[in-house]
Amino acid sequence: MADVKRKRVLSGIQPTHDSFHLGNYLGALKQWVALQESHDAFYCVVDLHALTVGPDPVELRRRTLASAAQLIAIGIDPTKSTLFIQSHVPAHNQLAWIMECLTGFGEAGRMTQFKDKSAKSGADRTVVGLFTYPILQAADILLYQADQVPVGEDQRQHIELTRDLGQRFNSKYGQTFTIPEGYILKSGAKINDLQDPTSKMSKSSASQSGVIELMDAPEVNLKKIKSAMTDTGREVIFDEKNKAGISNLLTIYTAITGLTVDAAQNDFDGKGYGDFKSAVAEVVVDFLTPIRSKAQELLQDPAHLTAILQEGAAKANAVASVTLAETYEALGLIPRA
Ligand code: TRP
């Protein structure tokens, strides 16, 4: 925090589930934790974005707090990063409107996530919020003058839109926004479903038996890993094409232990799949157990968790309100006072 030259990163995650899964963690969230050491990091639980799927209020409330608790439990340190809930900073909505007035209708309609989702449910059942979703995301990012946005490959187009909108505003109304770069997470491990090891681990998969949840009981995850789908043969070798199941388990094992694939393969030379799966199960469970306890502990003390989030919101508001005031000024909106 003392070092003003640190680059700023901002990222967000939707509170759409009670638990993050191992794919979320190894693919992205682990990098969030690492980035707080080298960057001025802002991380938000994007509850407003989650409204696009019409969540039940009781669930939304529970999942928002559970998401924040899990972020802290995996190592997001509120004294190093600014951790907050999106709806605690009203400037997100305020800047989103301004960005909506700069976005072409066709431009928004070309967002592939919107196209995919609206194609599935049909125009009449697609809410306008889904259409403007990427514009709210652009506001999330631009408000904090973020230099980099750590996200997965699927968010590349939204980052492009953010850059376009920032540049458009700057050239029309004068330099106001930092133009962020996508920091597309390649270093993150791509984790697949344990039962369908050629597809990404995802909450929307047909069965939950291939998804390792951070908040699941250790016995449950132990069982899921021991019954992971494996391939024919008996050697523990990384070969995504012919041994998708074993390769996925090796990815998980090496991501958690920090071993190289070669070292792991050597360790299991001459041993069968059974021994290997037990070892994977053990490292995963040993890794997740303290995370789960920490998250549960935080959730058992809502006053403490809320206080942390209030502090985060205050820090976020301090930055966001300055950007918003500059934006209003540049646009010619009359200041209230
Ligand atoms: N759309 C992102 C996702 O689904 C979540 C998100 C919302 C986000 N606002 C953001 C990510 C700002 C990065 C920056 O993953």
Side-chain angles (χ1 to χ4, degrees), residues 10-14 32 42 44-46 49 86 92 113 117 133-134 136-141 148-152 154-155 158-159 162:
L10 176 133
S11 199
I13 190 157
Q14 292 197 60
W32 288 21
F42 283 72
C44 61
V45 178
V46 291
H49 277 107
Q86 185 189 33
H92 290 245
Q113 272 198 349
K117 289 186 182 171
Y133 177 114
L136 177 59
Q137 182 169 352
D140 296 342
I141 298 165
Q148 287 168 332
V149 188
V151 284
D154 63 334
Q155 296 297 308
H158 292 171
I159 306 305
T162 304

mmCIF file of all heavy atoms in Angstrom, residues 10-14 32 42 44-46 49 86 92 113 117 133-134 136-141 148-152 154-155 158-159 162, ligand 1:
data_model
loop_
_atom_site.group_PDB
_atom_site.id
_atom_site.type_symbol
_atom_site.label_atom_id
_atom_site.label_comp_id
_atom_site.label_asym_id
_atom_site.label_seq_id
_atom_site.Cartn_x
_atom_site.Cartn_y
_atom_site.Cartn_z
ATOM 1 N N LEU A 10 -7.922 -5.312 -10.693
ATOM 2 C CA LEU A 10 -9.277 -5.464 -10.177
ATOM 3 C C LEU A 10 -9.881 -6.712 -10.786
ATOM 4 O O LEU A 10 -9.708 -6.968 -11.980
ATOM 5 C CB LEU A 10 -10.154 -4.268 -10.557
ATOM 6 C CG LEU A 10 -11.616 -4.475 -10.088
ATOM 7 C CD1 LEU A 10 -12.176 -3.266 -9.402
ATOM 8 C CD2 LEU A 10 -12.533 -4.965 -11.210
ATOM 9 N N SER A 11 -10.553 -7.492 -9.953
ATOM 10 C CA SER A 11 -11.329 -8.593 -10.517
ATOM 11 C C SER A 11 -12.579 -8.822 -9.689
ATOM 12 O O SER A 11 -12.706 -8.296 -8.578
ATOM 13 C CB SER A 11 -10.499 -9.875 -10.631
ATOM 14 O OG SER A 11 -11.134 -10.751 -11.556
ATOM 15 N N GLY A 12 -13.502 -9.568 -10.281
ATOM 16 C CA GLY A 12 -14.762 -9.832 -9.592
ATOM 17 C C GLY A 12 -15.196 -11.270 -9.790
ATOM 18 O O GLY A 12 -14.783 -11.932 -10.749
ATOM 19 N N ILE A 13 -15.991 -11.736 -8.862
ATOM 20 C CA ILE A 13 -16.552 -13.088 -8.990
ATOM 21 C C ILE A 13 -18.000 -13.060 -8.534
ATOM 22 O O ILE A 13 -18.343 -12.375 -7.575
ATOM 23 C CB ILE A 13 -15.693 -14.132 -8.220
ATOM 24 C CG1 ILE A 13 -16.145 -15.551 -8.560
ATOM 25 C CG2 ILE A 13 -15.712 -13.878 -6.706
ATOM 26 C CD1 ILE A 13 -15.087 -16.622 -8.337
ATOM 27 N N GLN A 14 -18.852 -13.790 -9.253
ATOM 28 C CA GLN A 14 -20.277 -13.779 -8.929
ATOM 29 C C GLN A 14 -20.602 -14.732 -7.777
ATOM 30 O O GLN A 14 -20.093 -15.851 -7.744
ATOM 31 C CB GLN A 14 -21.081 -14.247 -10.145
ATOM 32 C CG GLN A 14 -21.058 -13.293 -11.308
ATOM 33 C CD GLN A 14 -22.177 -13.616 -12.281
ATOM 34 O OE1 GLN A 14 -23.355 -13.580 -11.926
ATOM 35 N NE2 GLN A 14 -21.815 -13.944 -13.504
ATOM 36 N N TRP A 32 -5.295 -14.559 -7.807
ATOM 37 C CA TRP A 32 -5.716 -13.353 -7.073
ATOM 38 C C TRP A 32 -4.872 -13.216 -5.807
ATOM 39 O O TRP A 32 -4.421 -12.135 -5.452
ATOM 40 C CB TRP A 32 -7.183 -13.441 -6.649
ATOM 41 C CG TRP A 32 -8.212 -13.314 -7.719
ATOM 42 C CD1 TRP A 32 -8.059 -13.524 -9.064
ATOM 43 C CD2 TRP A 32 -9.581 -12.948 -7.514
ATOM 44 N NE1 TRP A 32 -9.263 -13.319 -9.687
ATOM 45 C CE2 TRP A 32 -10.203 -12.969 -8.774
ATOM 46 C CE3 TRP A 32 -10.336 -12.625 -6.386
ATOM 47 C CZ2 TRP A 32 -11.559 -12.651 -8.933
ATOM 48 C CZ3 TRP A 32 -11.684 -12.314 -6.550
ATOM 49 C CH2 TRP A 32 -12.277 -12.328 -7.826
ATOM 50 N N PHE A 42 -7.834 -4.919 -5.968
ATOM 51 C CA PHE A 42 -9.233 -4.714 -5.621
ATOM 52 C C PHE A 42 -10.014 -5.939 -6.079
ATOM 53 O O PHE A 42 -9.971 -6.284 -7.260
ATOM 54 C CB PHE A 42 -9.801 -3.461 -6.341
ATOM 55 C CG PHE A 42 -9.362 -2.175 -5.713
ATOM 56 C CD1 PHE A 42 -8.049 -1.734 -5.837
ATOM 57 C CD2 PHE A 42 -10.265 -1.394 -4.986
ATOM 58 C CE1 PHE A 42 -7.641 -0.542 -5.237
ATOM 59 C CE2 PHE A 42 -9.863 -0.201 -4.393
ATOM 60 C CZ PHE A 42 -8.550 0.219 -4.516
ATOM 61 N N CYS A 44 -13.847 -7.822 -5.914
ATOM 62 C CA CYS A 44 -15.221 -7.658 -5.454
ATOM 63 C C CYS A 44 -16.092 -8.859 -5.762
ATOM 64 O O CYS A 44 -15.906 -9.575 -6.739
ATOM 65 C CB CYS A 44 -15.843 -6.363 -5.964
ATOM 66 S SG CYS A 44 -15.981 -6.183 -7.711
ATOM 67 N N VAL A 45 -17.034 -9.053 -4.852
ATOM 68 C CA VAL A 45 -18.068 -10.062 -5.047
ATOM 69 C C VAL A 45 -19.186 -9.337 -5.782
ATOM 70 O O VAL A 45 -19.806 -8.411 -5.243
ATOM 71 C CB VAL A 45 -18.559 -10.604 -3.684
ATOM 72 C CG1 VAL A 45 -19.671 -11.619 -3.897
ATOM 73 C CG2 VAL A 45 -17.398 -11.220 -2.899
ATOM 74 N N VAL A 46 -19.394 -9.727 -7.043
ATOM 75 C CA VAL A 46 -20.292 -8.938 -7.895
ATOM 76 C C VAL A 46 -21.737 -9.419 -7.757
ATOM 77 O O VAL A 46 -22.279 -10.112 -8.616
ATOM 78 C CB VAL A 46 -19.801 -8.887 -9.367
ATOM 79 C CG1 VAL A 46 -18.521 -8.065 -9.478
ATOM 80 C CG2 VAL A 46 -19.534 -10.271 -9.948
ATOM 81 N N HIS A 49 -24.195 -8.280 -10.567
ATOM 82 C CA HIS A 49 -24.151 -9.130 -11.758
ATOM 83 C C HIS A 49 -24.970 -10.399 -11.553
ATOM 84 O O HIS A 49 -25.618 -10.890 -12.471
ATOM 85 C CB HIS A 49 -22.704 -9.494 -12.112
ATOM 86 C CG HIS A 49 -21.999 -8.434 -12.903
ATOM 87 N ND1 HIS A 49 -21.025 -7.625 -12.368
ATOM 88 C CD2 HIS A 49 -22.138 -8.034 -14.192
ATOM 89 C CE1 HIS A 49 -20.596 -6.783 -13.303
ATOM 90 N NE2 HIS A 49 -21.249 -7.004 -14.407
ATOM 91 N N GLN A 86 -19.827 -5.520 -4.411
ATOM 92 C CA GLN A 86 -20.112 -4.542 -5.471
ATOM 93 C C GLN A 86 -21.257 -3.579 -5.109
ATOM 94 O O GLN A 86 -21.135 -2.371 -5.299
ATOM 95 C CB GLN A 86 -20.453 -5.322 -6.737
ATOM 96 C CG GLN A 86 -20.674 -4.511 -7.989
ATOM 97 C CD GLN A 86 -21.214 -5.415 -9.100
ATOM 98 O OE1 GLN A 86 -21.946 -6.366 -8.840
ATOM 99 N NE2 GLN A 86 -20.835 -5.114 -10.329
ATOM 100 N N HIS A 92 -20.755 2.030 -9.002
ATOM 101 C CA HIS A 92 -20.753 1.020 -10.081
ATOM 102 C C HIS A 92 -21.975 1.207 -10.976
ATOM 103 O O HIS A 92 -21.874 1.215 -12.198
ATOM 104 C CB HIS A 92 -20.728 -0.405 -9.512
ATOM 105 C CG HIS A 92 -19.421 -0.763 -8.865
ATOM 106 N ND1 HIS A 92 -18.588 -1.739 -9.341
ATOM 107 C CD2 HIS A 92 -18.798 -0.246 -7.772
ATOM 108 C CE1 HIS A 92 -17.507 -1.819 -8.572
ATOM 109 N NE2 HIS A 92 -17.618 -0.931 -7.606
ATOM 110 N N GLN A 113 -20.994 -14.043 -24.832
ATOM 111 C CA GLN A 113 -21.666 -14.648 -23.674
ATOM 112 C C GLN A 113 -23.147 -14.304 -23.668
ATOM 113 O O GLN A 113 -23.991 -15.133 -23.362
ATOM 114 C CB GLN A 113 -21.018 -14.173 -22.368
ATOM 115 C CG GLN A 113 -19.870 -15.057 -21.987
ATOM 116 C CD GLN A 113 -19.459 -14.917 -20.529
ATOM 117 O OE1 GLN A 113 -19.896 -13.997 -19.816
ATOM 118 N NE2 GLN A 113 -18.619 -15.816 -20.082
ATOM 119 N N LYS A 117 -26.134 -17.058 -24.029
ATOM 120 C CA LYS A 117 -27.141 -17.187 -22.972
ATOM 121 C C LYS A 117 -28.532 -16.826 -23.475
ATOM 122 O O LYS A 117 -29.511 -17.485 -23.144
ATOM 123 C CB LYS A 117 -26.774 -16.320 -21.764
ATOM 124 C CG LYS A 117 -25.584 -16.891 -21.015
ATOM 125 C CD LYS A 117 -25.279 -16.150 -19.737
ATOM 126 C CE LYS A 117 -24.037 -16.752 -19.070
ATOM 127 N NZ LYS A 117 -23.561 -15.958 -17.954
ATOM 128 N N TYR A 133 -24.919 -6.459 -18.949
ATOM 129 C CA TYR A 133 -23.958 -7.063 -18.012
ATOM 130 C C TYR A 133 -22.503 -6.647 -18.284
ATOM 131 O O TYR A 133 -21.790 -6.192 -17.371
ATOM 132 C CB TYR A 133 -24.138 -8.597 -18.093
ATOM 133 C CG TYR A 133 -23.206 -9.445 -17.273
ATOM 134 C CD1 TYR A 133 -23.686 -10.216 -16.209
ATOM 135 C CD2 TYR A 133 -21.841 -9.547 -17.558
ATOM 136 C CE1 TYR A 133 -22.836 -11.028 -15.465
ATOM 137 C CE2 TYR A 133 -20.997 -10.345 -16.818
ATOM 138 C CZ TYR A 133 -21.491 -11.085 -15.776
ATOM 139 O OH TYR A 133 -20.650 -11.881 -15.047
ATOM 140 N N PRO A 134 -22.038 -6.746 -19.546
ATOM 141 C CA PRO A 134 -20.625 -6.392 -19.781
ATOM 142 C C PRO A 134 -20.346 -4.903 -19.566
ATOM 143 O O PRO A 134 -19.203 -4.531 -19.300
ATOM 144 C CB PRO A 134 -20.392 -6.746 -21.256
ATOM 145 C CG PRO A 134 -21.569 -7.548 -21.681
ATOM 146 C CD PRO A 134 -22.704 -7.229 -20.770
ATOM 147 N N LEU A 136 -21.779 -3.046 -17.164
ATOM 148 C CA LEU A 136 -21.584 -2.916 -15.712
ATOM 149 C C LEU A 136 -20.182 -3.419 -15.344
ATOM 150 O O LEU A 136 -19.486 -2.826 -14.513
ATOM 151 C CB LEU A 136 -22.663 -3.717 -14.961
ATOM 152 C CG LEU A 136 -22.558 -3.755 -13.430
ATOM 153 C CD1 LEU A 136 -22.616 -2.351 -12.821
ATOM 154 C CD2 LEU A 136 -23.666 -4.632 -12.824
ATOM 155 N N GLN A 137 -19.758 -4.469 -15.995
ATOM 156 C CA GLN A 137 -18.404 -4.986 -15.747
ATOM 157 C C GLN A 137 -17.358 -3.944 -16.142
ATOM 158 O O GLN A 137 -16.370 -3.753 -15.420
ATOM 159 C CB GLN A 137 -18.199 -6.291 -16.529
ATOM 160 C CG GLN A 137 -16.831 -6.908 -16.289
ATOM 161 C CD GLN A 137 -16.704 -8.316 -16.847
ATOM 162 O OE1 GLN A 137 -17.689 -8.924 -17.303
ATOM 163 N NE2 GLN A 137 -15.501 -8.848 -16.826
ATOM 164 N N ALA A 138 -17.586 -3.259 -17.248
ATOM 165 C CA ALA A 138 -16.654 -2.203 -17.677
ATOM 166 C C ALA A 138 -16.595 -1.117 -16.606
ATOM 167 O O ALA A 138 -15.518 -0.617 -16.252
ATOM 168 C CB ALA A 138 -17.089 -1.623 -19.021
ATOM 169 N N ALA A 139 -17.755 -0.770 -16.056
ATOM 170 C CA ALA A 139 -17.789 0.240 -14.999
ATOM 171 C C ALA A 139 -17.018 -0.234 -13.775
ATOM 172 O O ALA A 139 -16.244 0.531 -13.175
ATOM 173 C CB ALA A 139 -19.236 0.572 -14.635
ATOM 174 N N ASP A 140 -17.171 -1.507 -13.418
ATOM 175 C CA ASP A 140 -16.436 -2.078 -12.273
ATOM 176 C C ASP A 140 -14.940 -1.797 -12.414
ATOM 177 O O ASP A 140 -14.252 -1.470 -11.446
ATOM 178 C CB ASP A 140 -16.541 -3.616 -12.229
ATOM 179 C CG ASP A 140 -17.938 -4.146 -12.005
ATOM 180 O OD1 ASP A 140 -18.800 -3.384 -11.538
ATOM 181 O OD2 ASP A 140 -18.167 -5.351 -12.303
ATOM 182 N N ILE A 141 -14.462 -1.993 -13.627
ATOM 183 C CA ILE A 141 -13.024 -1.926 -13.881
ATOM 184 C C ILE A 141 -12.547 -0.474 -13.996
ATOM 185 O O ILE A 141 -11.567 -0.068 -13.366
ATOM 186 C CB ILE A 141 -12.697 -2.706 -15.176
ATOM 187 C CG1 ILE A 141 -13.083 -4.182 -15.001
ATOM 188 C CG2 ILE A 141 -11.229 -2.541 -15.564
ATOM 189 C CD1 ILE A 141 -13.155 -4.974 -16.301
ATOM 190 N N GLN A 148 -4.683 -3.723 -14.761
ATOM 191 C CA GLN A 148 -4.809 -5.102 -15.219
ATOM 192 C C GLN A 148 -6.027 -5.774 -14.605
ATOM 193 O O GLN A 148 -6.405 -5.461 -13.477
ATOM 194 C CB GLN A 148 -3.561 -5.898 -14.820
ATOM 195 C CG GLN A 148 -2.365 -5.516 -15.666
ATOM 196 C CD GLN A 148 -1.075 -6.063 -15.097
ATOM 197 O OE1 GLN A 148 -0.952 -6.273 -13.893
ATOM 198 N NE2 GLN A 148 -0.111 -6.283 -15.968
ATOM 199 N N VAL A 149 -6.591 -6.685 -15.371
ATOM 200 C CA VAL A 149 -7.784 -7.386 -14.923
ATOM 201 C C VAL A 149 -7.553 -8.895 -15.046
ATOM 202 O O VAL A 149 -7.612 -9.449 -16.147
ATOM 203 C CB VAL A 149 -9.012 -6.981 -15.779
ATOM 204 C CG1 VAL A 149 -10.298 -7.560 -15.191
ATOM 205 C CG2 VAL A 149 -9.119 -5.467 -15.893
ATOM 206 N N PRO A 150 -7.243 -9.553 -13.934
ATOM 207 C CA PRO A 150 -7.015 -10.997 -14.012
ATOM 208 C C PRO A 150 -8.329 -11.764 -14.177
ATOM 209 O O PRO A 150 -9.166 -11.778 -13.273
ATOM 210 C CB PRO A 150 -6.355 -11.337 -12.664
ATOM 211 C CG PRO A 150 -6.695 -10.209 -11.751
ATOM 212 C CD PRO A 150 -7.017 -9.008 -12.586
ATOM 213 N N VAL A 151 -8.486 -12.343 -15.332
ATOM 214 C CA VAL A 151 -9.715 -13.098 -15.638
ATOM 215 C C VAL A 151 -9.360 -14.292 -16.517
ATOM 216 O O VAL A 151 -8.265 -14.371 -17.067
ATOM 217 C CB VAL A 151 -10.751 -12.242 -16.417
ATOM 218 C CG1 VAL A 151 -11.467 -11.259 -15.521
ATOM 219 C CG2 VAL A 151 -10.101 -11.534 -17.600
ATOM 220 N N GLY A 152 -10.312 -15.167 -16.649
ATOM 221 C CA GLY A 152 -10.142 -16.317 -17.545
ATOM 222 C C GLY A 152 -10.368 -15.904 -18.997
ATOM 223 O O GLY A 152 -10.895 -14.826 -19.282
ATOM 224 N N ASP A 154 -12.495 -16.724 -21.072
ATOM 225 C CA ASP A 154 -13.883 -16.443 -21.466
ATOM 226 C C ASP A 154 -14.271 -14.969 -21.279
ATOM 227 O O ASP A 154 -15.306 -14.539 -21.788
ATOM 228 C CB ASP A 154 -14.849 -17.350 -20.686
ATOM 229 C CG ASP A 154 -14.805 -17.104 -19.181
ATOM 230 O OD1 ASP A 154 -13.758 -16.639 -18.667
ATOM 231 O OD2 ASP A 154 -15.812 -17.383 -18.513
ATOM 232 N N GLN A 155 -13.456 -14.203 -20.567
ATOM 233 C CA GLN A 155 -13.792 -12.795 -20.312
ATOM 234 C C GLN A 155 -13.056 -11.829 -21.239
ATOM 235 O O GLN A 155 -13.188 -10.614 -21.118
ATOM 236 C CB GLN A 155 -13.471 -12.432 -18.859
ATOM 237 C CG GLN A 155 -14.305 -13.190 -17.844
ATOM 238 C CD GLN A 155 -15.774 -12.859 -17.990
ATOM 239 O OE1 GLN A 155 -16.165 -11.699 -18.006
ATOM 240 N NE2 GLN A 155 -16.604 -13.885 -18.132
ATOM 241 N N HIS A 158 -15.124 -9.135 -22.918
ATOM 242 C CA HIS A 158 -15.612 -8.092 -22.009
ATOM 243 C C HIS A 158 -14.507 -7.083 -21.678
ATOM 244 O O HIS A 158 -14.773 -5.900 -21.483
ATOM 245 C CB HIS A 158 -16.168 -8.719 -20.725
ATOM 246 C CG HIS A 158 -17.422 -9.513 -20.952
ATOM 247 N ND1 HIS A 158 -17.983 -10.302 -19.977
ATOM 248 C CD2 HIS A 158 -18.226 -9.626 -22.032
ATOM 249 C CE1 HIS A 158 -19.078 -10.877 -20.453
ATOM 250 N NE2 HIS A 158 -19.240 -10.485 -21.703
ATOM 251 N N ILE A 159 -13.284 -7.562 -21.615
ATOM 252 C CA ILE A 159 -12.162 -6.653 -21.342
ATOM 253 C C ILE A 159 -11.926 -5.751 -22.561
ATOM 254 O O ILE A 159 -11.649 -4.554 -22.420
ATOM 255 C CB ILE A 159 -10.869 -7.434 -20.995
ATOM 256 C CG1 ILE A 159 -11.102 -8.412 -19.836
ATOM 257 C CG2 ILE A 159 -9.716 -6.476 -20.659
ATOM 258 C CD1 ILE A 159 -11.652 -7.806 -18.569
ATOM 259 N N THR A 162 -14.415 -3.078 -22.424
ATOM 260 C CA THR A 162 -14.019 -2.120 -21.385
ATOM 261 C C THR A 162 -12.985 -1.141 -21.936
ATOM 262 O O THR A 162 -13.082 0.076 -21.732
ATOM 263 C CB THR A 162 -13.443 -2.869 -20.163
ATOM 264 O OG1 THR A 162 -14.412 -3.816 -19.708
ATOM 265 C CG2 THR A 162 -13.083 -1.910 -19.039
HETATM 266 N N1 TRP B 1 -18.019 -11.415 -15.703
HETATM 267 C C1 TRP B 1 -17.037 -11.932 -14.779
HETATM 268 C C2 TRP B 1 -17.127 -13.441 -14.774
HETATM 269 O O1 TRP B 1 -18.158 -13.993 -14.999
HETATM 270 C C3 TRP B 1 -17.262 -11.404 -13.377
HETATM 271 C C4 TRP B 1 -16.958 -9.932 -13.268
HETATM 272 C C5 TRP B 1 -17.832 -8.945 -13.027
HETATM 273 C C6 TRP B 1 -15.684 -9.354 -13.367
HETATM 274 N N2 TRP B 1 -17.197 -7.750 -12.969
HETATM 275 C C7 TRP B 1 -15.877 -7.957 -13.181
HETATM 276 C C8 TRP B 1 -14.403 -9.854 -13.628
HETATM 277 C C9 TRP B 1 -14.814 -7.067 -13.257
HETATM 278 C C10 TRP B 1 -13.343 -8.943 -13.700
HETATM 279 C C11 TRP B 1 -13.567 -7.575 -13.514
HETATM 280 O O2 TRP B 1 -16.137 -14.093 -14.503
#
